[in-house]
Amino acid sequence: QVQLVESGGGLVQAGGSLRLSCTASGRAFSLSNYNIGWFRQAPGKERDFVAATTRTGGRTSYADFADFVKGRFTISRSSAKNTVYLQMNSLNPEDTAVYYCAADSSSMLQSGRYAYDYWGQGTQVTVSA
């Protein structure tokens, strides 16, 4: 059973930063073979796309970001650690949500959540004013 595991969430003041991590547990599951997306869901709201990065496989990966995080969030990978990171800077209270990572095996970068095959349980990010 493959499971993605998020970590790094917490409570931070507005203007602060957090770095979320996404790793895989279970059978050998290399995140390098998957597009990895980050989504977030605030109470009573839909799960929204935040950012995604393409699989590597020896090629340069590229990323896509939701407009509301462009210039503030970055996404990166460590193949050695089998981890994908979401660096979140200049956080504001509207960024408060549960953040999920997800893996997608398709050939194109996807922003729709239904394209993703594997999901983590989420990590809570709370930004105080």
Side-chain angles (χ1 to χ4, degrees), residues 3-56:
Q3 184 173 358
L4 302 182
V5 180
E6 304 93 340
S7 61
L11 174 64
V12 64
Q13 289 187 331
S17 299
L18 284 174
R19 188 178 75 162
L20 306 184
S21 299
C22 174
T23 60
S25 66
R27 63 176 172 85
F29 188 89
S30 175
L31 296 185
S32 297
N33 295 329
Y34 293 83
N35 303 328
I36 301 298
W38 286 94
F39 293 78
R40 71 185 190 186
Q41 188 166 18
K45 295 189 176 181
E46 295 290 317
R47 188 170 299 187
D48 292 330
F49 171 77
V50 175
T53 182
T54 54
R55 69 185 75 195
T56 52

Side-chain angles (χ1 to χ4, degrees), residues 78-94:
S78 169
S79 297
K81 295 182 178 181
N82 199 27
T83 300
V84 176
Y85 302 100
L86 182 69
Q87 178 67 44
M88 308 186 296
N89 300 325
S90 302
L91 288 164
N92 57 64
E94 290 70 37

